[in-house]
Amino acid sequence: MDSSATRPYSVATGASEAFDELLKQCKGQIPKEFGSYSGNVTFVPSNHGDQVYFPSPCREQDVIAAIKALEACAAAAIGDLGHGKNSRSIKVDLDKAACFLMSAYLATIDGKRKGQTPKGLIPDTDYNQAQSIQYRRLSANLYETKEDGRYYHIHGSLDATTQLRMIGLPPFNPLLTDYQKCIDTIEAAVKKFTVADLEDMNNKHGQAGVEALKWENFLETSHGKVISALPPFTVEAIKVQQPTVPETPPHTPTETNVQSHLWPKVPANVSQYALRGIKVIEMCRVIAGPTIGRSLAAHGAQVLKVTGPDLPDVPFFQVDVNTGKHTTHLDLRNQSDLKTFQSLLAEADALIDGYRPGALAKFGCDPQSLAKLAQQRGNHGFVYVAEDCFGGTGVPGAEWAGRRGWQQIADCVTGVAWAQGQFMGLENEPSVPPMPMSDYGTGALGCVAAMAGLYQRETKGGSWMCRTSLCQYDIFLLKLGLLPLQEQERLKTVFAGPFFKLRHYDSVDKVSGEALKAMQRTYPHLFGPDLMLKAKSKGFNGKDIRWPKEAIEVEGLLIQHVRASRPNGFDRPGWEGWENDLIMDGEVNLAEEDAVFTNTSVTPAPREEQHQQQAGSGSMNSVPQRRNRIATMNTVLATA
């Protein structure tokens, strides 16, 4: 008998397997120096156990831990460029990685989580009332169509009016407030149409929406065939006409103790962040794109989120995804604001584009324009990072590359929703999974891609284009296969109750809410203060903000945000005078702590008060067997 069939499932083992597969699939996209650190990675379970926490059949925790491990390898390799070559040990905390996947539901403002905040605590950026009114919010949901057994996820995006009118319903219905009655009304309208009808209407009205496909059916589509052959992210040089000025010489990664050309010099007594001095403009909304910026900020980058003053966004998500950044409003249709934006762009190192492919090109935010800008400023190359729903921009045969989409759209089209429905015991019904896990996973992929682009710019010169998508994350997830049936059965026992009474039409908030209640009962440590940081936010009127700690530690480097979140549009547009907040780990002021690993020390004190971080030792090129990446429970208990 195969002993693995009765052995409890280990996330640490699964993460190590996923990490090997991620390295294999991304081999042509990452510098070899990233991969050389793979043998230094240890996946660390907590003293609460090494187990799956989410009621989902997908290997979400394995995958996010693997992506975070690659992010740590990237930080280590970049740290070698800026601070001299070392062999840095790397740890991935599996509980913190799990918290990352549900960060939007763990973050709090003034002690309140998503769905608990009173009116006025967070500025209302739901300008079109797409989130604040239940009837309108449910215009972004999964419903059965006129064809039995075929389901379609309509999506009103951040304005439900067009979507509701498209299916023959009024944009507002003040008398319709009951959750189930809202669902029944909207599903009855959707059931009047076939999938083909809905596709035609979506194209005509410019709406997001997609049929929920099974994994095998998705792979049979033209887009599925093309996109499934791509790695989880791509990084390639932007080809432009040869410059007329001398190019900045690249930095050779084999050199030791040589200051990089493009990173600003960092005094030895200043905290060593891998991306200190890097300036990033973020043009994104909601979760996936802003998570790229949030993650880069944890590595020390200055991330400036730029949004239009009239641009809607989900209010509460800003409490989480704006962590570590400055935020500013600029209306790029206004010539004065456009000029200000161009001045910011002229000093930036990278731009994150989270909009539909090509939407920002008219403002000079496309790869070719940014590469030309880099030439004009003396070949200080630019890194363009794009995140979208379907992926495949510029790839022949990727017919859905330009379609609008969000996490639920990607989860439905790739087959994640059908896998979730089958796990939940639904009779021939898909279901959206709990939490915005694909959003956060895609954001983590985008962070690694951005770091790869910055490394290539430093070592090879030129400008670089990095792309990832929600569908590419889901494809990597599904290619790994689902959790073993034994583990799925264990989860069904753990989560028995209201969660398994949900149906295809239950919203992502309803599904996530039921999952959270069960997780709080079963795994309360995930919701405790030990895995959170705290700071007072100037942008949120001095209120306490709590958010999850970073999941990775890299020896000799700091990885943590230096400021709390703020609402969109809080700061003036500029790169100078950025403040650091007082970050608290429980009741400990992290500015007073001094340690080599980032999650136990972090917010930098004034420069004259900081201590030099000590470099690690050992052979970077030694590659232990996979089992040596996994910290044993005895080790965890001994060091906890």
Side-chain angles (χ1 to χ4, degrees):
M1 181 178 176
D2 183 4
S3 61
S4 65
T6 57
R7 190 184 306 134
Y9 189 80
S10 165
V11 173
T13 300
S16 191
E17 294 170 354
F19 185 44
D20 287 341
E21 184 61 26
L22 184 64
L23 289 168
K24 178 182 176 181
Q25 292 193 27
C26 296
K27 183 177 181 180
Q29 311 304 316
I30 59 173
K32 66 181 186 300
E33 291 78 14
F34 288 16
S36 70
Y37 264 110
S38 62
N40 294 32
V41 171
T42 302
F43 294 102
V44 185
S46 74
N47 55 6
H48 296 279
D50 176 13
Q51 58 188 311
V52 177
Y53 295 130
F54 295 97
S56 170
C58 297
R59 296 174 60 182
E60 299 275 9
Q61 288 172 241
D62 299 355
V63 169
I64 197 59
I67 298 171
K68 283 293 179 181
L70 187 52
E71 178 186 327
C73 291
I78 291 172
D80 289 347
L81 288 180
H83 308 294
K85 198 160 211 171
N86 288 296
S87 180
R88 306 174 190 274
S89 60
I90 292 170
K91 295 180 182 179
V92 182
D93 187 304
L94 297 180
D95 278 5
K96 292 173 184 173
C99 288
F100 176 80
L101 285 174
M102 57 176 177
S103 188
Y105 288 85
L106 292 180
T108 65
I109 175 171
D110 201 26
K112 305 293 193 301
R113 289 198 175 101
K114 187 178 185 296
Q116 300 175 336
T117 53
K119 192 171 184 179
L121 189 59
I122 301 172
D124 186 6
T125 54
D126 183 23
Y127 302 133
N128 299 321
Q129 296 179 291
Q131 298 290 314
S132 57
I133 299 175
Q134 187 155 246
Y135 167 68
R136 288 171 65 79
R137 186 164 64 248
L138 288 168
S139 71
N141 206 19
L142 181 61
Y143 296 109
E144 190 171 14
T145 68
K146 187 176 183 178
E147 301 161 277
D148 289 342
R150 298 186 73 178
Y151 298 83
Y152 200 91
H153 199 299
I154 61 172
H155 206 298
S157 299
L158 295 174
D159 183 3
T161 297
T162 301
Q163 182 71 75
L164 288 167
R165 283 177 171 161
M166 187 185 84
I167 58 175
L169 293 175
F172 291 89
N173 190 338
L175 299 179
L176 197 57
T177 58
D178 179 76
Y179 173 74
Q180 191 60 50
K181 288 181 179 178
C182 288
I183 287 172
D184 293 343
T185 299
I186 298 174
E187 183 155 63
V190 173
K191 278 188 170 184
K192 295 177 181 177
F193 304 103
T194 65
V195 168
D197 293 335
L198 291 163
E199 285 284 281
D200 289 343
M201 291 191 296
N202 269 348
N203 291 333
K204 179 180 178 181
H205 295 281
Q207 294 295 285
V210 75
E211 181 181 8
L213 299 176
K214 295 180 179 179
W215 170 236
E216 58 270 23
N217 299 132
F218 170 70
L219 293 178
E220 293 172 355
T221 67
S222 296
H223 191 81
K225 290 175 183 176
V226 171
I227 199 73
S228 63
L230 295 179
F233 59 82
T234 56
V235 180
E236 59 183 276
I238 303 172
K239 294 180 173 60
V240 291
Q241 187 176 355
Q242 288 298 314
T244 56
V245 294
E247 185 170 354
T248 302
H251 179 68
T252 307
T254 56
E255 300 174 45
T256 58
N257 300 317
V258 177
Q259 174 62 41
S260 65
H261 295 294
L262 300 181
W263 265 278
K265 290 186 177 181
V266 179
N269 66 333
V270 171
S271 303
Q272 295 183 358
Y273 283 89
L275 299 182
R276 179 182 286 279
I278 295 297
K279 297 182 176 73
V280 180
I281 292 177
E282 176 192 301
M283 303 187 75
C284 311
R285 291 182 290 174
V286 193
I287 296 179
T291 295
I292 301 174
R294 177 189 187 274
S295 299
L296 295 175
H299 292 283
Q302 278 185 275
V303 179
L304 179 61
K305 181 179 182 179
V306 178
T307 51
D310 302 317
L311 195 67
D313 198 355
V314 180
F316 191 87
F317 289 162
Q318 297 164 45
V319 175
D320 175 54
V321 298
N322 287 356
T323 302
K325 308 172 186 176
H326 268 201
T327 64
T328 196
H329 279 329
L330 291 173
D331 185 347
L332 301 189
R333 299 165 299 182
N334 176 284
Q335 286 302 307
S336 176
D337 280 7
L338 181 59
K339 185 176 180 180
T340 299
F341 176 74
Q342 290 169 340
S343 69
L344 294 170
L345 205 59
E347 293 187 47
D349 299 280
L351 180 135
I352 307 170
D353 178 357
Y355 291 92
R356 189 166 53 89
L360 297 180
K362 58 181 175 288
F363 302 117
C365 297
D366 60 284
Q368 287 294 320
S369 297
L370 294 173
K372 290 176 182 177
L373 172 63
Q375 288 186 350
Q376 292 168 8
R377 64 187 188 185
N379 283 305
H380 185 161
F382 217 104
V383 177
Y384 170 82
V385 186
E387 172 277 324
D388 55 57
C389 181
F390 287 90
T393 298
V395 180
E399 61 181 3
W400 294 341
R403 287 182 69 150
R404 294 168 171 83
W406 307 85
Q407 174 189 298
Q408 301 99 305
I409 300 297
D411 287 348
C412 283
V413 78
T414 56
V416 172
W418 272 105
Q420 182 69 35
Q422 184 176 24
F423 166 74
M424 293 169 67
L426 297 178
E427 185 69 28
N428 198 32
E429 292 181 28
S431 172
V432 293
M435 320 299 178
M437 294 188 284
S438 299
D439 268 329
Y440 282 107
T442 303
L445 284 175
C447 173
V448 178
M451 294 174 85
L454 288 165
Y455 191 96
Q456 299 288 39
R457 181 190 74 158
E458 178 69 13
T459 58
K460 295 182 179 180
S463 294
W464 293 78
M465 176 170 59
C466 315
R467 292 190 181 276
T468 191
S469 69
L470 291 157
C471 280
Q472 283 166 275
Y473 171 83
D474 280 346
I475 288 167
F476 179 73
L477 177 72
L478 291 171
K479 278 185 175 180
L480 288 176
L482 302 180
L483 290 168
L485 290 178
Q486 176 186 346
E487 180 62 12
Q488 292 189 42
E489 290 303 317
R490 183 191 72 83
L491 290 169
K492 290 176 184 179
T493 301
V494 168
F495 287 90
F499 183 80
F500 282 94
K501 295 178 182 178
L502 298 171
R503 297 286 305 280
H504 67 272
Y505 49 66
D506 281 304
S507 69
V508 66
D509 277 336
K510 178 72 170 178
V511 174
S512 298
E514 292 296 343
L516 276 172
K517 285 188 283 188
M519 291 174 71
Q520 285 175 302
R521 291 192 302 268
T522 311
Y523 311 115
H525 70 282
L526 294 176
F527 301 85
D530 291 347
L531 298 178
M532 303 289 283
L533 295 176
K534 179 177 74 172
K536 293 187 181 299
S537 168
K538 298 176 179 66
F540 287 115
N541 298 316
K543 299 296 184 183
D544 281 340
I545 304 293
R546 288 185 181 270
W547 69 97
K549 295 177 181 178
E550 291 301 301
I552 52 178
E553 301 175 353
V554 178
E555 191 172 12
L557 295 175
L558 298 177
I559 307 172
Q560 188 191 285
H561 301 104
V562 299
R563 62 186 62 84
S565 183
R566 58 246 284 126
N568 290 349
F570 177 73
D571 302 282
R572 66 175 182 83
W575 297 113
E576 303 300 325
W578 287 35
E579 82 296 339
N580 287 356
D581 291 339
L582 178 67
I583 311 294
M584 304 292 288
D585 181 352
E587 299 305 317
V588 179
N589 174 6
L590 292 181
E592 297 173 355
E593 296 293 296
D594 185 36
V596 173
F597 282 108
T598 75
N599 288 0
T600 54
S601 91
V602 308
T603 299
R607 294 189 178 190
E608 63 273 14
E609 298 177 10
Q610 292 171 340
H611 303 287
Q612 182 174 3
Q613 301 296 313
Q614 301 301 310
S617 60
S619 172
M620 183 178 73
N621 294 320
S622 63
V623 182
Q625 295 297 316
R626 178 184 295 156
R627 64 178 179 272
N628 293 331
R629 289 203 197 118
I630 304 167
T632 65
M633 189 56 63
N634 288 336
T635 303
V636 174
L637 291 173
T639 58

